[in-house]
Amino acid sequence: MRSVFMGTPEFAVPSLRALAEVTTLVGVVSQPDRPRGRGLSLQPSPVSAAAGELGVPLLRPASVRTPESAAALAALEPDLLVVAAYGKILPPALLALPTLAPLNVHASLLPRHRGAAPIAAAIRAGDAETGVTIMVMGEGLDTGDMLRQRTRPIAPEDTTGSLTVALAELGATALVEAVTAIRATGLQPIPQDERRATYAPRLEKDDGRIDWSRDAASIERMVRAFAPWPSAFTTLEGRTLKIVATRLVAEKRPAAPAGTLAVRGRDLEVTTGDGTLAIVTLQPEGKKAMPGAAFAAGARLAPGARLV
């Protein structure tokens, strides 16, 4: 079985390596090198680097919609096209290229959280579990029939960063199961229930601004959902503070406007629209991350100081 893999970030690497073990991997497609690091030097994507280690032919087209890209991919004559977080919408002609199927490794339990940011969406929604879906790609946004799903509980301390690592491995496992099943019995697709579909749009940097009028539980989930990117942030007297970790405070506190800071014992606490949060870790602009209490000790907070 000849396969071509398309992917870009670290999430896709376990699926790439798994596909190489169970099929004849004849090509890998990834995004072009991007500036990274402090020096902004051009660096290959994690998938490009892994393809080099595997010794597989690598394509990094600026667009997969050009005749040149289409011809290069057609020449590989794949039976399977497997996509994991490639980062671009594929044209119908490319989806029709493999003789068996175009498959996608999606980081949610479809039809819940279709779209570009499914892991963060699951944490923000307070879902008890998430998982991965192997589906047959169609022209719609993550609407294709499903072949395999694997689930994983969302722990109270999970962030998008920790879940991404876990789901990357789970996706590789589910992909191998799907490929094995295709080889044994052929495709057994299950249509998605459109009535249960939700969407997780791509996140933007400004999405990370915290609205302290919201309830404490939803803000705590937001902080975890937006870690490591785009990060939850707020401002104090015009200075930006990245909120790295928070903890729900169970005790009832005196009423105060949302965003009001108070030091209680060894904790820096903030009033929300419903409940109180302890700011466990924060990062002032241009400085390293530090405990909330250490920041409070150095900031000399005025009575009634508020985050906005």
Side-chain angles (χ1 to χ4, degrees), residues 110-112 114 135 142-146 190-194 197:
L110 291 172
R112 193 161 173 77
R114 294 170 174 171
M135 67 171 178
D142 300 326
T143 57
D145 293 349
M146 302 179 294
I190 301 172
Q192 295 187 33
D193 183 349
E194 292 295 326

Side-chain angles (χ1 to χ4, degrees), residues 91-240:
L94 186 54
L95 298 178
L97 185 62
T99 58
L100 291 175
L103 304 183
N104 179 243
V105 184
H106 186 78
S108 82
L109 299 174
L110 291 172
R112 193 161 173 77
H113 305 313
R114 294 170 174 171
I119 300 175
I123 295 174
R124 289 198 76 183
D127 293 356
E129 66 176 10
T130 183
V132 293
T133 302
I134 308 300
M135 67 171 178
V136 180
M137 296 181 72
E139 294 185 31
L141 179 63
D142 300 326
T143 57
D145 293 349
M146 302 179 294
L147 297 178
R148 278 288 185 282
Q149 285 191 320
R150 282 278 197 136
T151 63
R152 182 207 191 268
I154 298 179
E157 66 276 13
D158 266 330
T159 65
T160 290
S162 66
L163 268 184
T164 297
V165 173
L167 295 183
E169 296 296 335
L170 202 60
T173 299
L175 177 61
V176 170
E177 292 174 347
V179 172
T180 302
I182 291 171
R183 184 176 277 132
T185 61
L187 291 168
Q188 303 292 328
I190 301 172
Q192 295 187 33
D193 183 349
E194 292 295 326
R195 297 169 300 179
R196 296 177 50 239
T198 63
Y199 290 88
R202 187 179 302 279
L203 296 175
E204 304 293 343
K205 182 65 179 176
D206 286 346
D207 293 335
R209 178 173 287 282
I210 297 173
D211 177 0
W212 296 106
S213 69
R214 297 179 66 111
D215 65 278
S218 66
I219 295 173
E220 188 273 341
R221 292 196 302 270
M222 172 187 174
V223 171
R224 291 188 290 116
F226 287 5
W229 198 91
S231 299
F233 67 92
T234 186
T235 55
L236 175 65
E237 299 176 347
R239 294 179 299 168
T240 299

Side-chain angles (χ1 to χ4, degrees), residues 296-307:
R300 298 180 181 177
L301 298 174
R306 291 179 62 188
L307 301 175

Side-chain angles (χ1 to χ4, degrees), residues 31-119:
Q31 295 288 322
D33 296 354
R34 305 288 189 201
R36 304 175 199 272
R38 290 189 175 182
L40 294 180
S41 59
L42 288 178
Q43 299 288 330
S45 73
V47 163
S48 292
E53 294 170 5
L54 292 168
V56 180
L58 173 65
L59 304 175
R60 286 174 286 189
S63 171
V64 292
R65 294 177 177 273
T66 65
E68 294 77 12
S69 295
L73 287 165
L76 296 173
E77 300 181 332
D79 299 307
L80 284 180
L81 177 67
V82 176
V83 181
Y86 176 63
K88 299 287 184 182
I89 296 176
L90 304 186
L94 186 54
L95 298 178
L97 185 62
T99 58
L100 291 175
L103 304 183
N104 179 243
V105 184
H106 186 78
S108 82
L109 299 174
L110 291 172
R112 193 161 173 77
H113 305 313
R114 294 170 174 171
I119 300 175

